[in-house]
Amino acid sequence: MAARQRRTTIAEVAAHAGVSPATVSRVMNGRFVGEESVAERVRASAQTLDYSPSPLARGLALGTTRTVAFVVPDLANPAFQAVLSSLSKSAARSGYRVLVADSVETPSDELAIATEIRRRCDAIVLCAPRMPDAQLAEAIENLAPIVLINRPGTGHGAAMLSIDYHAGVHQLAEHLYALGHRRLVYVAGPTTSASDGYRRRGLKAFLAGHEDVTLETLPGGVSVDDGRAVAEAVRGSGATAALAFNDLVAIGLIHGLGELGVSVPGDVSVTGFDDIPYARYNSPALTTASVPHEELGVQAWDRMDTLVGGGEPGHSVLFQPRLEVRASTAPPR
Amino acid sequence: MAARQRRTTIAEVAAHAGVSPATVSRVMNGRFVGEESVAERVRASAQTLDYSPSPLARGLALGTTRTVAFVVPDLANPAFQAVLSSLSKSAARSGYRVLVADSVETPSDELAIATEIRRRCDAIVLCAPRMPDAQLAEAIENLAPIVLINRPGTGHGAAMLSIDYHAGVHQLAEHLYALGHRRLVYVAGPTTSASDGYRRRGLKAFLAGHEDVTLETLPGGVSVDDGRAVAEAVRGSGATAALAFNDLVAIGLIHGLGELGVSVPGDVSVTGFDDIPYARYNSPALTTASVPHEELGVQAWDRMDTLVGGGEPGHSVLFQPRLEVRASTAPPR
DNA sequence: ACCTTGCGAGAAAGCGGTTTCTCGCGGCAC
DNA sequence: GTGCCGCGAGAAACCGCTTTCTCGCAAGGT
């Protein structure tokens, strides 16, 4: 490897141009008010020496890094990837970069990870579904400016962008009900996950309005493999339709059922949640609740931007999922 | 929003513990050799004041940020997401974070983006398929330590991790040939993309060994939409099999053909490239060249780690794709 | 001719750490 | 009793940049 670069410093440029570092700084930042010839000389020196200010030193002096953190449970999840991709693009337009981290290997460290990464930047977009409400409320103060994702109702002066899981799962259940299904099974997510809680409550509300429906809940997970693993239990449940925690689980479940010779939607209907890009290309195409992940990223940046500028968090928003009926659901046999 | 936090500084801890900042620094970094009681007092003060050193200030003093950049053409591409996810996990184990950026909105700025983001951190993992060889060679020096992805052969003292597109596409073509296909069409990627060049050369090499095969090349792209858009042209080509630039294009193409009433693999066989997680769940499941993206991320970190430690870039590695035969290919009618 | 203004630009003090250099002090050898 | 050594810990320089403070100097007013 080539010897590590030693970048030219502002002092060198100053010496080269025969001015003080202060002047170079002013010229570089457009705050220079003196003679144009001096500015020109500084610019020429900077050019010649291939100078560009150290973001680190600037950050220290200015107290701002032009970087924001993005922390989610699992970067491998396409839903979060969609948010990240759009957040990164939005931030880039304002000259900000995004620092990423996930807590998949150590769920209990959500707070520690967020705290650590937050110190490296100006603000944080956090999705911490497993952090207890009380702990989160306390953490918000230290993490601010912060945009919280998927924690509807947690309040406490943070900007909040969430998905109405309750409504989404309700819609899915209504859809299945309308098709004629009366025995449902819910393939749950992580039991400690807040968003799983909202789904459960949504289903409970649905059940309250439909006395003729029975619902069984099966422990599931968040990944394709989790879905595949629960296929046998779903078949054993005798249900005619399964609501999966998310699209990944649904896809895994469908293929797991396929391996057991159970056809979808012939024998069992299956629904997902998220509408990841591949939901529509799955075989059969997945009926799901569509979540506007890109919009979430864009809005997250907007909030972030106003917060960093010293603005208020603004109102919480609860994105309404849109029922996306595809081929994985059909009337029961 | 709550007033912006003012973190406690090392000076405050020093004052509180009745020692000098130097001592606090030494204690915090385990370089303290004096009386244990002093260290204990410092630790207690740090605890009380909830002190943690500013990574920014540390970075400036130490000349290291414990951050690496990850720059790719498009963060929305699942292939890159897989690499990022695994890179981030690997880096995290060593206490490093990953800063991301993509150049999808301004392909010509690949170099500018890489240069800018590189200054914020210690090293960079770069995938810049559209950057001219000469420009890249020149840039490497400024960007080092750098791990280059998908630029086999570019050398110049950078660590290089690549996919053997040439071999991969060759395998796919051989597979189609073995099935009996003689009229092929290649749905190309961006013409300025280096990896598209390797694929073209791979196909040319294949053709040289099979005089009875005709190959047409169609302009395509990189996304599902690009694949869908080219469906009509593929049908019009009269070919019995199509090799798509990547899995996304293949998936789009398959569904585009479906809309035109052309069945896959009944009427036309289709292959992809990458083996993204959804390739196997597509309908029909996609025959493709499987690329070890997670492994790429892990290895990228390994290289990075040794480079940052002052080590040598090591040998270039060319990952061999594995032919993954699924349901999207079959003998021609 | 003298005192203000005002402007252009440098000196220096941070930002929050790390690290080299220095120094006081107690213990040991002679 | 004196000199030297070593240890513990503080003073100060430094990382690279920003910004307030300061100052010299030329212009303008009386």
Side-chain angles (χ1 to χ4, degrees):
Chain A
M1 191 192 63
R4 201 74 94 263
Q5 310 288 317
R6 221 196 52 69
R7 300 285 320 198
T8 57
T9 73
I10 198 171
E12 292 166 348
V13 176
H16 186 272
V19 299
S20 76
T23 298
V24 177
S25 172
R26 288 191 267 251
V27 170
M28 298 300 292
N29 294 293
R31 294 198 209 311
F32 184 77
V33 288
E35 282 189 29
E36 182 53 26
S37 70
V38 174
E40 204 41 65
R41 198 145 38 95
V42 169
R43 273 190 282 271
S45 295
Q47 180 95 37
T48 309
L49 302 180
D50 190 24
Y51 170 74
S52 79
S54 151
L56 215 58
R58 266 189 118 239
L60 184 58
L62 255 22
T64 173
T65 61
R66 298 187 80 78
T67 302
V68 300
F70 179 72
V71 179
V72 295
D74 185 9
L75 277 174
N77 186 320
F80 294 128
Q81 291 167 347
V83 179
L84 169 60
S85 167
S86 106
L87 172 68
S88 166
K89 282 171 191 44
S90 300
R93 283 188 209 104
S94 309
Y96 274 71
R97 296 292 175 201
V98 179
L99 208 47
V100 304
D102 67 21
S103 52
V104 67
E105 306 205 324
T106 52
S108 59
D109 285 356
E110 275 177 351
L111 180 56
I113 292 171
T115 306
E116 187 273 335
I117 203 170
R118 171 63 184 80
R119 296 232 45 205
R120 297 170 179 243
C121 55
D122 300 342
I124 184 170
V125 177
L126 176 65
C127 176
R130 285 167 293 224
M131 199 182 298
D133 263 357
Q135 193 183 29
L136 184 60
E138 198 175 336
I140 283 177
E141 194 180 345
N142 291 315
L143 296 176
I146 179 172
V147 173
L148 234 35
I149 287 190
N150 285 2
R151 291 297 293 242
T154 315
H156 303 294
M160 222 119 39
L161 266 29
S162 304
I163 308 304
D164 195 338
Y165 294 113
H166 189 288
V169 86
H170 202 288
Q171 284 182 67
L172 288 168
E174 287 286 2
H175 163 66
L176 292 172
Y177 187 85
L179 286 174
H181 294 276
R182 294 299 178 269
R183 293 192 62 180
L184 309 181
V185 58
Y186 170 55
V187 179
T191 47
T192 55
S193 145
S195 69
D196 187 60
Y198 293 113
R199 287 171 173 82
R200 285 170 191 264
R201 260 163 273 159
L203 288 172
K204 187 174 280 183
F206 166 78
L207 285 178
H210 302 275
E211 306 273 317
D212 52 339
V213 174
T214 65
L215 172 78
E216 183 177 347
T217 297
L218 253 30
V222 296
S223 68
V224 171
D225 288 341
D226 292 332
R228 186 183 296 259
V230 82
E232 198 143 354
V234 167
R235 178 180 60 176
S237 75
T240 61
L243 297 116
F245 177 70
N246 65 19
D247 286 353
L248 294 180
V249 173
I251 289 174
L253 173 58
I254 288 174
H255 289 265
L257 287 172
E259 288 164 9
L260 297 175
V262 179
S263 113
V264 176
D267 301 318
V268 176
S269 286
V270 173
T271 65
F273 207 114
D274 276 346
D275 196 19
I276 61 176
Y278 310 94
R280 71 176 64 223
Y281 302 118
N282 189 65
S283 158
L286 194 60
T287 293
T288 190
S290 180
V291 169
H293 292 113
E294 284 74 17
E295 182 60 18
L296 209 58
V298 171
Q299 294 253 356
W301 173 250
D302 281 357
R303 298 305 182 97
M304 198 100 290
D305 204 17
T306 76
L307 283 178
V308 168
E312 292 298 314
H315 293 289
S316 291
V317 349
L318 205 54
F319 288 98
Q320 294 302 311
R322 180 170 37 81
L323 178 64
E324 198 67 53
V325 178
R326 302 207 181 94
S328 69
T329 51
R333 280 259 150 81
Chain B
M1 192 192 63
R4 202 73 91 264
Q5 309 289 315
R6 223 198 47 70
R7 302 285 319 197
T8 54
T9 72
I10 197 171
E12 291 165 348
V13 176
H16 186 272
V19 299
S20 76
T23 299
V24 177
S25 171
R26 289 190 267 251
V27 171
M28 297 300 292
N29 295 293
R31 294 198 210 310
F32 184 78
V33 288
E35 281 188 29
E36 182 53 26
S37 69
V38 174
E40 204 43 64
R41 199 146 35 93
V42 169
R43 274 189 282 271
S45 295
Q47 180 95 37
T48 310
L49 302 180
D50 190 24
Y51 170 75
S52 78
S54 151
L56 215 58
R58 264 188 118 239
L60 183 59
L62 256 22
T64 172
T65 61
R66 298 187 81 76
T67 301
V68 300
F70 179 72
V71 178
V72 294
D74 186 9
L75 278 174
N77 186 322
F80 294 128
Q81 291 167 348
V83 178
L84 169 60
S85 168
S86 107
L87 173 68
S88 167
K89 282 172 192 43
S90 300
R93 283 188 209 104
S94 308
Y96 274 71
R97 296 292 176 202
V98 179
L99 207 48
V100 304
D102 67 20
S103 52
V104 68
E105 305 206 325
T106 50
S108 60
D109 286 355
E110 275 178 351
L111 180 56
I113 291 171
T115 306
E116 185 274 335
I117 204 171
R118 172 62 184 81
R119 296 234 42 205
R120 298 171 178 243
C121 56
D122 300 344
I124 185 172
V125 177
L126 175 65
C127 176
R130 284 168 291 222
M131 199 183 297
D133 263 358
Q135 192 184 29
L136 184 60
E138 198 175 335
I140 283 177
E141 195 180 345
N142 291 315
L143 297 175
I146 179 173
V147 173
L148 234 36
I149 288 190
N150 284 4
R151 292 296 293 242
T154 316
H156 305 293
M160 221 119 38
L161 265 29
S162 304
I163 308 304
D164 194 339
Y165 295 113
H166 189 287
V169 86
H170 202 288
Q171 283 182 67
L172 288 168
E174 287 285 3
H175 163 66
L176 292 172
Y177 187 86
L179 286 175
H181 295 277
R182 294 299 178 268
R183 291 192 63 180
L184 310 181
V185 57
Y186 170 53
V187 179
T191 46
T192 55
S193 145
S195 70
D196 186 62
Y198 294 113
R199 288 173 174 80
R200 286 171 191 264
R201 261 164 272 158
L203 288 172
K204 188 173 280 182
F206 166 78
L207 285 178
H210 303 273
E211 307 273 318
D212 52 340
V213 174
T214 65
L215 173 78
E216 183 177 347
T217 298
L218 253 31
V222 296
S223 69
V224 172
D225 288 341
D226 293 331
R228 186 183 295 258
V230 82
E232 198 142 355
V234 167
R235 178 179 60 176
S237 75
T240 61
L243 297 117
F245 176 70
N246 66 19
D247 285 354
L248 294 180
V249 172
I251 288 173
L253 173 59
I254 288 173
H255 289 264
L257 287 172
E259 288 164 9
L260 297 175
V262 178
S263 113
V264 175
D267 300 319
V268 176
S269 286
V270 174
T271 65
F273 207 113
D274 274 345
D275 197 19
I276 61 176
Y278 311 94
R280 71 177 61 224
Y281 302 119
N282 188 66
S283 159
L286 194 61
T287 293
T288 190
S290 180
V291 170
H293 292 113
E294 285 74 18
E295 181 61 18
L296 209 57
V298 171
Q299 294 253 357
W301 172 250
D302 281 358
R303 297 306 181 96
M304 199 102 287
D305 204 15
T306 76
L307 283 178
V308 168
E312 293 297 314
H315 294 289
S316 291
V317 350
L318 206 53
F319 288 98
Q320 293 302 311
R322 180 170 37 82
L323 178 65
E324 198 68 54
V325 177
R326 301 208 182 95
S328 69
T329 51
R333 280 260 150 82

